Amino acid sequence: MKLSQNGWVVIAGLGPGNDALVTQEVRDAIDEATDIVGYIPYVKRIEPREGLTLHASDNRVEVDRATHALEMAAEGKRVVVVSSGDPGVFAMASAVFEALENSAEAHPEWLDLEIKVLPGITAMLAAAAAIGAPLGHDFAAINLSDNLKPWSLIEKRLQLVGEAGLAMAFYNPRSKSRPHQFARALEILREACGAETLITFARDVTKPGQELLTVPLKDATPEMADMRTVVIVGNRDTRRVGNYVYTPATQLRVKRGNGTARP
């Protein structure tokens, strides 16, 4: 990766937690940075060094954090905005571009800043790899937090995606402030996907305390998930083989009338 000698912003994914899964491209950007911006626990993953300033902030100030990064880059600083997983998946990349758009009238010069997004391994993909290949066919990723969208919209998406026969990966499934919503999500999934469909709870994926639990939807309970858990729901073809869970890549059967036929 080549960056200019002027100020720039790199939006980097630190992966799901294991430092071995941070890409070399991200490591190089951090080595070049003068400033690191991000949510408190993610900034803590960066080793302090001379010439590097760490700017840690709370989780609900994404656009403010992004605006600060752009301000510093406009001053000539080399700024890395860190996210866990991949910065483009429910993380800081969209916040930076939102801040850029919001500031375009007041700071048109920011549009000429060098901004790069460096991908990382998401918790969803790390969890899927840990259990086998549950996302081996079409799938959807859904953030179950209603901080940025209404719960009614989340319910509708769960219903429609389940009826469409897609596997699903859920981020932020259950928090202390909204413990009841995941119970409702499980109800919708049982109806839309079938009670025997497999669901996996991957907690602290890639970290020393990693826990993996796969059960049919009929046996899933809300307490199996928290904010450190990625949840993966298969489709009706998802199955176990030995200690693994996978969704076949070939799914040629479609329902027609009262029976089944190949499309």
Side-chain angles (χ1 to χ4, degrees):
M1 179 186 65
K2 292 183 179 180
L3 292 164
S4 72
Q5 297 303 308
N6 301 318
W8 43 254
V9 175
V10 164
I11 314 160
L14 298 178
N18 187 328
D19 287 342
L21 298 180
V22 180
T23 70
Q24 188 59 51
E25 190 176 34
V26 169
R27 294 181 189 276
D28 292 344
I30 291 171
D31 288 343
E32 293 185 46
T34 60
D35 296 82
I36 303 291
V37 175
Y39 179 38
I40 296 166
Y42 308 150
V43 173
K44 285 183 178 179
R45 292 180 58 184
I46 306 302
E47 189 72 26
R49 59 170 167 80
E50 185 177 353
L52 181 67
T53 303
L54 305 179
H55 306 267
S57 53
D58 187 71
N59 196 31
R60 298 197 180 191
V61 293
E62 286 89 351
V63 176
D64 291 342
R65 182 187 303 143
T67 302
H68 184 209
L70 293 168
E71 288 173 346
M72 290 191 291
E75 296 169 357
K77 295 182 178 180
R78 303 184 298 275
V79 185
V80 174
V81 181
V82 292
S83 297
S84 68
D86 182 280
V89 180
F90 307 126
M92 282 301 299
S94 59
V96 170
F97 292 116
E98 181 179 351
L100 183 65
E101 181 180 18
N102 291 345
S103 305
E105 185 173 343
H107 299 283
E109 70 278 10
W110 289 7
L111 296 172
D112 294 324
L113 286 170
E114 184 176 7
I115 301 174
K116 289 186 179 293
V117 181
L118 304 185
I121 297 173
T122 72
M124 168 184 69
L125 298 182
I131 62 173
L135 305 179
H137 203 266
D138 299 336
F139 67 91
I142 301 176
N143 187 342
L144 293 187
S145 171
D146 62 353
N147 287 335
L148 300 176
K149 59 181 180 287
W151 176 251
S152 59
L153 178 60
I154 296 173
E155 287 197 5
K156 182 177 181 179
R157 289 177 175 173
L158 290 174
Q159 184 72 40
L160 293 175
V161 173
E163 291 176 355
L166 302 182
M168 290 171 263
F170 301 137
Y171 287 76
N172 303 317
R174 183 172 179 266
S175 69
K176 292 181 180 179
S177 63
R178 46 182 180 84
H180 62 287
Q181 292 175 343
F182 189 58
R184 174 58 183 149
L186 290 174
E187 291 177 0
I188 295 170
L189 293 169
R190 290 186 191 104
E191 180 180 350
C193 304
E196 297 298 328
T197 297
L198 296 176
I199 181 172
T200 296
F201 299 87
R203 191 170 191 271
D204 287 341
V205 66
T206 79
K207 300 175 183 177
Q210 174 178 290
E211 299 175 4
L212 304 173
L213 174 65
T214 300
V215 297
L217 272 169
K218 66 180 182 181
D219 296 330
T221 65
E223 294 75 22
M224 292 176 179
D226 61 16
M227 291 294 283
R228 291 159 58 186
T229 306
V230 175
V231 179
I232 296 180
V233 179
N235 64 25
R236 291 177 185 263
D237 291 314
T238 302
R239 62 198 72 176
R240 295 177 190 261
V241 54
N243 295 323
Y244 305 102
V245 176
Y246 85 106
T247 300
T250 303
Q251 298 183 13
L252 298 178
R253 297 175 67 84
V254 295
K255 292 184 178 180
R256 291 183 178 176
N258 295 326
T260 60
R262 290 181 180 271

